[in-house]
Amino acid sequence: MNGRVVRQSKFRHVFGQAVKNDQCYDDIRVSRVTWDSAFCAVNPKFVAIIIEASGGGAFLVLPLHKTGRIDKSYPTVCGHTGPVLDIDWCPHNDQVIASGSEDCTVMVWQIPENGLVTSMSEPVVILEGHSKRVGIITWHPTARNILLSAGCDNQIIIWNVGTGEAMINLEDMHPDVIYNVCWNRNGSLICTACKDKSIRVIDPRKQEIVGEKEKAHEGARPMRAIFLNDGNILTTGFSRMSERQLALWNTQNLEEPMTVNEMDTSNGVLLPFYDPDTNVVYLCGKGDSSIRYFEITDEAPYVHFLNTFASKEPQRGMGYMPKRGLDVNKCEIARFYKLHERKCEPIVMTVPRKSDLFQDDLYPDTAGPDPALEAEEWFEGKNGDPILISLKNGYVPGKNREFKVVKKNALDNKVTKNSENSTAPHPQHTKLEEILKEIRSLKDMISSQEKRIVQLEEQMSKLAI
C-alpha cells in the first residue's frame, strides 16, 4: 500500500509553465474548422499547425527554433483542395508528415531537413479511397510506412505508404461518425470511439471486432478512447447530465468500467494525451484554459488526480511532444504546444528535483525512432514492440536514412507500371533518377545557405544588443 503512495507522489508536484512570450510562435491564423482534432503535431524537429487557408487547405511546418512572429508570407504545405482536418508526424522519420482533408484524400509529405524554403504543394504520395472527408490520421507505432485513416464515410483504411496502396478496408463496423482511432502499444489492435456511443476493439488484420461496449458514456457529445500500456482502455466522454467523465476499461471484460471519474460540466471535448513511460494521462479540453493530469496505477482506484495547469486563454488545439524531444536535464516530463487564436504557446511540465544528475526514475527507456518491423511483415501477421532507447545523454537525432525510401517506392511504382516486362533500366527511370539527384543537390545547397543566414542573423542580433 505504501509503495503506491510513494509512487504517486513522484508526480504529485509536477508543475506546468508557459514559456516566455519570445519563445512562442506568433501571428499564426489557426484553423477555424469545426472538427475536434488537435490541429497541431510536434516532433523533436518541427511543430506543424493547421491554419486558415483561402481556396484549399494548408498547414505550417516550423522548425522548433523558429519562434517569434511568423511572417504572413512564410511557406506552407498546401496541396489539399479542401480544409485540412488532421495531421500526424511519422514516428519513424521526423521529416515525414501525413494529412487528412475535407477533399477526401490523405497526403504524405517529405519536409526538407531544415524546414520549408518555398511552399509545398506536391506530396510524396496521395492516398485516395475515402468517399467523404478524412478527419483522422494516425501512423502505426512500430511498423514502417503503415498509416491509418478514418473518414466521415465511417470507414477505416490502413495504407502501405511505401507502395501507395490501401491494404485493409474496415467497412460496416461503424454505423456512424468515428470520433477517434488509437493503436495499442505494438500496433496489433486498434480501439475506436464512435458517435453511436460504442467503443470497439478491432483486430485490423483479421478485420473483426474483438470487443465492444455500447453506451460507454451516456451523453451525446463526442468521446475519445485510447489504449494504455497494459492493454486497458481509457475513455473520455459525457454523462447523461452532460458532466465530463474519464473512465477506465479492461478489454478482457468491457461490461463495467474499472472506474469512472466525474469532472465538470464544461462542453469541450477532452483530448487525452498519454505517456506510456510514466503512466500519466493529460486531458486537454477544447475551449478550456486548463490541462488536468492523472496518474494511472494498477491497483484500485486506478486513476489518481494529480493536478491542473490553469491559464487564462482557452485552447483551440494542442500538440504533444514525444518523449525523445524533451529536455531531460530540466526534468521535463511533457511539453504541450497550445494553440490560441493567433499563436502557438509551448507549455512545459516539470518534476522539481534538486539534483542535476540524470533522473532515471523519470526517464525509463522510451520508444525510439527505429521501426521494429517493415510494413510487409506486419501485413503478414508479425508484431513488434517499440524499439526502446535511453535518454541518458539526451536524444541525438540520427540521419533519417529511410527518408528517401518512401519517395523511391512511390516513384518505382509509377515507373514499374510503365515497364513491367522490361529488364533493362527504362530511359524514363534513368532520367527520373537524374532529376531527383539534381533536386537533392539543390536542396542541400539551399539548406546550407539557410544555415549560414541563420548564423549571420544571430551574429547581427548579438551585435544589435
Side-chain angles (χ1 to χ4, degrees):
M1 190 66 187
N2 283 352
R4 198 182 81 232
V5 176
V6 173
R7 215 163 79 107
Q8 238 182 302
S9 67
K10 182 164 44 170
F11 302 111
R12 169 77 40 222
H13 305 291
V14 170
F15 71 99
Q17 214 173 8
V19 300
K20 293 192 174 72
N21 259 344
D22 61 352
Q23 291 175 292
C24 294
Y25 307 85
D26 265 318
D27 227 7
I28 293 168
R29 290 166 315 179
V30 175
S31 171
R32 293 176 180 281
V33 293
T34 49
W35 182 254
D36 286 321
S37 78
F39 287 173
C40 181
V42 288
N43 70 19
K45 287 185 174 176
F46 301 107
V47 51
I49 301 163
I50 303 176
I51 55 168
E52 280 290 285
S54 50
F59 57 95
L60 275 175
V61 174
L62 305 168
L64 288 185
H65 61 75
K66 176 101 183 93
T67 51
R69 196 179 151 275
I70 306 302
D71 200 276
K72 294 252 184 310
S73 62
Y74 196 86
T76 59
V77 180
C78 54
H80 284 286
T81 56
V84 176
L85 299 177
D86 198 16
I87 47 178
D88 194 30
W89 286 106
C90 173
H92 309 125
N93 186 334
D94 288 339
Q95 312 290 133
V96 172
I97 188 168
S99 55
S101 159
E102 273 188 23
D103 66 12
C104 307
T105 68
V106 176
M107 294 185 179
V108 180
W109 309 86
Q110 261 173 17
I111 306 301
E113 190 73 34
N114 301 93
L116 296 177
V117 186
T118 56
S119 284
M120 189 179 249
S121 57
E122 289 293 316
V124 178
V125 65
I126 301 176
L127 306 172
E128 293 174 306
H130 286 285
S131 58
K132 288 191 177 166
R133 59 189 189 153
V134 182
I136 297 167
I137 295 286
T138 174
W139 290 92
H140 192 287
T142 62
R144 194 199 311 268
N145 283 353
I146 293 180
L147 181 65
L148 177 152
S149 62
C152 290
D153 50 10
N154 309 340
Q155 311 193 46
I156 292 172
I157 300 179
I158 298 175
W159 308 86
N160 181 343
V161 174
T163 60
E165 292 169 289
M167 304 293 287
I168 294 171
N169 199 328
L170 305 176
E171 304 173 279
D172 309 326
M173 288 190 180
H174 299 86
D176 213 326
V177 174
I178 301 164
Y179 286 139
N180 87 303
V181 183
C182 177
W183 295 97
N184 68 350
R185 182 106 165 125
N186 70 358
S188 57
L189 297 171
I190 56 175
C191 69
T192 65
C194 177
K195 194 174 179 176
D196 69 350
K197 301 185 188 175
S198 289
I199 54 172
R200 293 173 176 83
V201 181
I202 297 169
D203 182 327
R205 288 169 296 193
K206 289 186 180 154
Q207 304 199 17
E208 62 188 39
I209 296 170
V210 294
E212 184 167 357
K213 171 62 183 167
E214 293 176 12
K215 293 206 172 148
H217 294 272
E218 298 269 354
R221 294 189 55 73
M223 306 190 306
R224 286 283 183 279
I226 59 168
F227 268 114
L228 304 183
N229 235 352
D230 54 10
N232 289 339
I233 287 174
L234 180 130
T235 60
T236 63
F238 293 79
S239 71
R240 195 182 276 128
M241 308 302 294
S242 289
E243 281 183 302
R244 294 201 288 190
Q245 295 176 319
L246 168 67
L248 196 61
W249 307 83
N250 178 342
T251 44
Q252 305 309 308
N253 174 17
L254 289 167
E255 275 310 295
E256 288 298 316
M258 294 160 67
T259 177
V260 178
N261 283 34
E262 308 261 324
M263 280 176 293
D264 57 13
T265 53
S266 178
N267 62 6
V269 176
L270 285 168
L271 305 178
F273 296 94
Y274 172 63
D275 177 0
D277 305 335
T278 57
N279 260 317
V280 174
V281 68
Y282 302 85
L283 301 185
C284 305
K286 268 209 146 179
D288 287 12
S289 49
S290 62
I291 301 173
R292 291 182 178 80
Y293 37 109
F294 300 79
E295 185 176 8
I296 316 289
T297 59
D298 43 20
E299 291 172 42
Y302 307 113
V303 175
H304 307 266
F305 172 71
L306 291 173
N307 213 332
T308 301
F309 165 80
S311 56
K312 291 191 182 72
E313 297 278 319
Q315 53 234 14
R316 294 279 289 277
M318 196 67 83
Y320 179 62
M321 178 65 81
K323 196 50 94 37
R324 56 195 174 89
L326 303 181
D327 187 342
V328 296
N329 300 321
K330 296 195 175 128
C331 294
E332 182 183 15
I333 62 160
R335 191 188 313 151
F336 292 91
Y337 286 72
K338 170 178 167 174
L339 301 185
H340 300 241
E341 227 165 280
R342 302 281 311 190
K343 75 168 178 181
C344 171
E345 172 187 50
I347 293 164
V348 175
M349 299 280 182
T350 318
V351 177
R353 290 279 165 98
K354 290 195 172 72
S355 163
D356 288 340
L357 298 173
F358 177 71
Q359 306 290 310
D360 47 15
D361 63 325
L362 295 182
Y363 301 105
D365 288 358
T366 193
D370 288 334
L373 299 169
E374 295 300 326
E376 291 69 22
E377 295 178 289
W378 185 80
F379 286 116
E380 283 161 12
K382 278 194 188 158
N383 291 321
D385 288 328
I387 295 177
L388 305 182
I389 56 171
S390 163
L391 295 177
K392 186 154 189 167
N393 302 310
Y395 167 68
V396 183
K399 267 282 182 221
N400 277 315
R401 51 185 188 290
E402 75 268 39
F403 181 42
K404 299 187 174 84
V405 171
V406 182
K407 186 167 269 186
K408 193 163 160 232
N409 277 358
L411 277 176
D412 278 355
N413 258 12
K414 288 177 193 162
V415 173
T416 45
K417 276 179 189 149
N418 298 336
S419 53
E420 226 88 275
N421 306 321
S422 70
T423 44
H426 197 283
Q428 228 174 316
H429 200 166
T430 325
K431 188 71 184 151
L432 270 172
E433 286 294 317
E434 281 170 23
I435 295 170
L436 266 175
K437 253 189 202 147
E438 195 172 335
I439 289 173
R440 279 185 208 126
S441 70
L442 285 169
K443 276 185 177 168
D444 288 345
M445 265 166 58
I446 291 168
S447 80
S448 68
Q449 286 172 343
E450 270 199 298
K451 273 185 194 155
R452 184 67 190 133
I453 291 170
V454 171
Q455 288 169 353
L456 291 168
E457 281 176 343
E458 280 171 359
Q459 285 175 21
M460 267 170 63
S461 61
K462 278 178 191 157
L463 288 168
I465 289 162

